[in-house]
Amino acid sequence: MDRAQLADFLRIRRERLRPEDVGLPAGLRRRTPGLRREEVASLATMSTDYYTRLEQARGPRPSRPVLAGLARALQLSTAERDHLFRLAGEQPGPPPGPPVDVRPGVLRMLARLDVAGLVLDAKYDVLAWNPLAAALITDFSALPVRDRNLLRLRFLSGTDQSELFGGEQTAEFAREAAAELRAATSKYPDDTSIRTLVADLCAGSEEFARIWALHEVGTQQTMCQTLHHPVVGRIEVVCEVLVIPERDQRVILYTAETGSDSDQALRLLEVIGTQSLVARPSFRGGS
C-alpha cells in the first residue's frame, strides 16, 4: 500500500468534483474547490474520520468494499478505479457493473442537440435521452426504470418488430445486440442486473433464447434503420455512435440527410413531441 500516493489521489479526485456532479447543493460558503471530505465519506458510506485519515496518509489499509465505495463516490473511470485498488495494494478485479451516471457535459450536449439522441450503457439500459428521441422511439419517462432497456423493449414488449423495421433489419439487430450483451456478461460477471436481464429475456422470448444459445460475442456494427412511425410515416435514419470508453457508454444519434423527406419528418416530430403520439409502438429502434 502506497499511503502517500493514495492520499494524493483521493484528494485530487475529490477536488475535481463539484457538488452538482453528485446531486448535492452547491451552497454559498465553499472556500475550497470540489467536495468536502464529509461529503465523500457519506457518499462512500464510511466515517468522516476514516476518510480523513486516508487522505492524510495515516489510515489503515482499506478493504475492497471500502475501495469500491470510494470509486463510486468519486465517480472514477474504470482505469482510475483500477489505479485506486493498486495504490491500496489490491488487485482490481472485474468492475462491479456498468456505470449508470452520465457526465454532466454529455447531458448538456444531449439537451442542445437538434437531432434525436440517447445514452446507452453496456447492457442497453437507456440512461438519458432528449425530447426528439422520446418522440421518435418512445416516451422513456413514462416507463418504469427497469423497462428503459432497448433489449426488453425489443424482445419483451409484444410488438411485432418486423412491421416496424422489416424482418431482415429486425433479425440483424437482435443477433448483434445479443452478442454485445454476451460480452457485457463476461466484462461484469458480478453484476446482478445483467444476470436478471438475461434470465428474463431467455424466459420471455423464444427468439432471444435461440440467439443466446449461439454464444456469439461481439460489438454492434449495423447503425442504419428504416423506421415506420405511426404519426409521420417512414423515416430513414443513420445512427451515429459516439463512444464514452471510461463510462462504457454510447451516445446514439439518429440523423437524416438534410432536406430529405426523413429530415422533414424528424422536424415535424420535434414540433409534435410525445403528446400527440397515440397508438405509438413501445420500441422503434435503438441502434
Side-chain angles (χ1 to χ4, degrees), residues 65-278:
V66 166
L67 293 170
L70 287 170
R72 181 180 63 252
L74 296 171
Q75 298 189 358
L76 301 184
S77 68
T78 299
E80 290 170 336
R81 172 187 173 275
D82 291 352
H83 182 62
L84 172 69
F85 271 69
R86 293 189 179 100
L87 288 177
E90 293 281 353
Q91 287 302 311
V100 298
D101 57 302
V102 181
R103 293 203 315 249
V106 174
L107 294 176
R108 289 193 294 269
M109 177 192 72
L110 204 63
R112 295 173 182 174
L113 288 173
D114 63 353
V115 299
L118 49 81
V119 181
L120 302 178
D121 72 1
K123 63 181 182 296
Y124 280 74
D125 275 357
V126 180
L127 305 179
W129 60 91
N130 61 15
L132 186 52
L136 179 66
I137 303 171
T138 195
D139 185 2
F140 293 104
S141 65
L143 299 176
V145 174
R146 174 188 173 92
D147 293 336
R148 296 173 190 171
N149 178 281
L150 295 189
L151 293 177
R152 287 187 183 277
L153 292 170
R154 164 62 182 84
F155 290 103
L156 302 179
S157 68
T159 304
D160 184 357
Q161 303 295 315
S162 63
E163 292 183 3
L164 304 176
F165 296 112
E168 184 177 347
Q169 280 189 327
T170 298
E172 190 170 10
F173 166 73
R175 188 165 178 172
E176 291 180 351
E180 197 157 32
L181 182 61
R182 173 76 69 175
T185 63
S186 60
K187 186 172 184 178
Y188 304 102
D190 298 328
D191 186 87
T192 57
S193 65
I194 292 180
R195 292 200 297 269
T196 299
L197 174 62
V198 172
D200 290 349
L201 291 169
C202 287
S205 170
E206 292 182 3
E207 179 190 9
F208 180 86
R210 187 168 58 251
I211 296 171
W212 191 250
L214 298 175
H215 281 264
E216 293 182 332
V217 182
T219 56
Q220 193 175 12
Q221 300 297 328
T222 303
M223 286 294 155
C224 295
Q225 294 284 353
T226 300
L227 302 129
H228 302 280
H229 196 277
V231 175
V232 299
R234 178 188 175 96
I235 307 176
E236 295 182 358
V237 295
V238 175
C239 302
E240 302 291 346
V241 182
L242 307 179
V243 179
I244 309 173
E246 70 274 14
R247 288 283 192 271
D248 201 7
Q249 295 169 357
R250 290 161 292 164
V251 181
I252 312 295
L253 304 177
Y254 296 81
T255 66
E257 184 179 352
T258 303
S260 65
D261 290 343
S262 296
D263 183 48
Q264 295 300 314
L266 287 174
R267 300 284 71 80
L268 178 58
L269 268 183
E270 194 171 14
V271 175
I272 295 174
T274 60
Q275 299 305 312
S276 301
L277 302 185
V278 294

Side-chain angles (χ1 to χ4, degrees), residues 2 54 212:
D2 190 331
L54 286 176
W212 191 250

